[in-house]
Amino acid sequence: MSNQLQNTSSFNSATWNFQDVGNSSPVRTTDVHPVSVSPWDVALCVTGTLISCENAIVIAILFYTPTLRAPMFVLIGSLAVADLLAGLGLILNFILTYMLNTELVTLVAVGLLIAAFSASVLNILAITVDRYLSLYNALTYHTERSVTFTYVMVILIWLVCVALGLLPLLGWNCLRDESSCSICRPVTKNNAVVLAVTFLLIFALMMQLYLQICKIAFRHAQQIAVQHHFMAISTTKGVSTLSAILCTFALCWMPFAMYSIVADSSYPIIYTYATVLPATCSSVINPIIYAFRNPDIQKSLWLACCGCVPPNISLRPRTSSDV
């Protein structure tokens, strides 16, 4: 993404110049070509590295723990794969930007990032749907039909995202018409607007689903009179957690989505970087929200690292309805 942004901007005042400073060097100064590295690109690369490390741990835990095969963990694994590809895409994009900046490489890098981040957002939506269904159809949630539905949902998500990632390579780009570029070259302005509006619709759907989850949870709390006090505390905590999840998701993606709608390639590049970086940080936060908070994953992680499980980790079976 960074190489696409740099081509359309004069934002050179915040770059770092590395060049030969040895006075005794026989190389003529006219032959030395300084390499300008944007600190924003460095920040994106560091973010990508952190994303890759976090999600690689999640994938390894899920892969080597046979007990973590429930539909919920399938979705968490799919989300981790999407975020891992996003992190690797950011690292690859940084390397290719300063080593091999060609049209084909640009299109491949952008396609990978579009596919990965789209899959990340859609997997978060799928996890939300899974949580809703686990409460709405609590008695039939663990049937074979639910497992099949989960795998079908994951396959459809990846088919859609791969198709989106291939669009730039198939000609849906602005390399031949710079005036039609969005804030992320070579994505066209129209395509960027469609993706941004789709994100807003997904966010609205997530809000509606989480609202229904809260209503069902409160109804369950009222129905269990014996455990009313305990359920009230638990439900309040769950609602707070859901609010934190939605707020985090909105803070990460909303600035970039809104800016993609109103801006184009003629806008200052610093604003694009300032909205892209929080969006990529969503993939840093996802493993913490959806994986590392899960007691079963915590247990597997402790067993893998230390060979023991701390007593403060709950060994109660975890379900999708837990937030």
Side-chain angles (χ1 to χ4, degrees), residues 293-317:
R293 288 176 57 250
N294 187 289
D296 296 316
I297 294 179
Q298 290 179 10
K299 176 184 175 182
S300 298
L301 185 59
W302 276 101
L303 287 174
C305 296
C306 307
C308 61
V309 180
N312 60 331
I313 293 182
S314 173
L315 297 180
R316 173 181 64 87

Side-chain angles (χ1 to χ4, degrees), residues 69-283:
R69 296 292 184 268
M72 173 182 59
F73 296 112
V74 173
L75 294 173
I76 292 176
S78 180
L79 174 62
V81 171
D83 287 333
L84 175 62
L85 290 177
L88 294 177
L90 291 172
I91 298 172
L92 180 64
N93 186 71
F94 177 82
I95 295 173
L96 296 179
T97 297
Y98 298 101
M99 292 186 179
L100 190 62
N101 189 6
T102 64
E103 284 190 3
L104 179 60
V105 169
T106 297
L107 294 175
V108 171
V110 169
L112 175 61
L113 290 173
I114 290 175
F117 282 112
S118 298
S120 179
V121 171
L122 290 178
N123 275 292
I124 292 176
L125 175 62
I127 291 175
T128 307
V129 172
D130 181 70
R131 287 176 169 174
Y132 170 74
L133 293 177
S134 68
L135 283 171
Y136 186 77
N137 298 320
L139 297 179
T140 61
Y141 171 75
H142 294 284
T143 63
E144 189 68 28
R145 181 183 302 177
S146 298
V147 176
T148 303
F149 174 77
T150 301
Y151 281 104
V152 170
M153 188 163 48
V154 169
I155 292 173
L156 289 177
I157 286 173
W158 282 103
L159 287 177
V160 170
C161 294
V162 169
L164 290 175
L166 289 175
L167 289 180
L169 283 169
L170 296 177
W172 295 58
N173 59 69
C174 63
L175 293 179
R176 300 293 178 266
D177 183 12
E178 296 291 338
S179 63
S180 65
C181 285
S182 67
I183 59 174
C184 296
R185 183 180 180 274
V187 180
T188 64
K189 172 67 174 179
N190 291 337
N191 290 349
V193 170
V194 170
L195 290 174
V197 171
T198 302
F199 163 79
L200 295 177
L201 293 176
I202 289 174
F203 180 69
L205 179 58
M206 287 179 57
M207 289 186 62
Q208 179 64 26
L209 288 172
Y210 274 129
L211 179 61
Q212 295 300 319
I213 289 174
C214 291
K215 288 181 178 179
I216 295 174
F218 278 118
R219 187 164 64 245
H220 287 178
Q222 294 174 353
Q223 291 174 349
I224 306 177
V226 177
Q227 300 177 351
H228 180 74
H229 178 67
F230 168 77
M231 289 297 295
I233 297 175
S234 176
T235 303
T236 302
K237 181 180 178 181
V239 171
S240 301
T241 303
L242 292 178
S243 301
I245 291 174
L246 281 176
C247 289
T248 301
F249 186 73
L251 289 175
C252 288
W253 281 105
M254 197 65 72
F256 180 68
M258 299 302 296
Y259 189 64
S260 298
I261 295 175
V262 301
D264 55 35
S265 58
S266 64
Y267 281 58
I269 195 63
I270 188 172
Y271 299 143
T272 301
Y273 276 118
T275 55
V276 167
L277 189 58
T280 60
C281 288
S282 172
S283 295

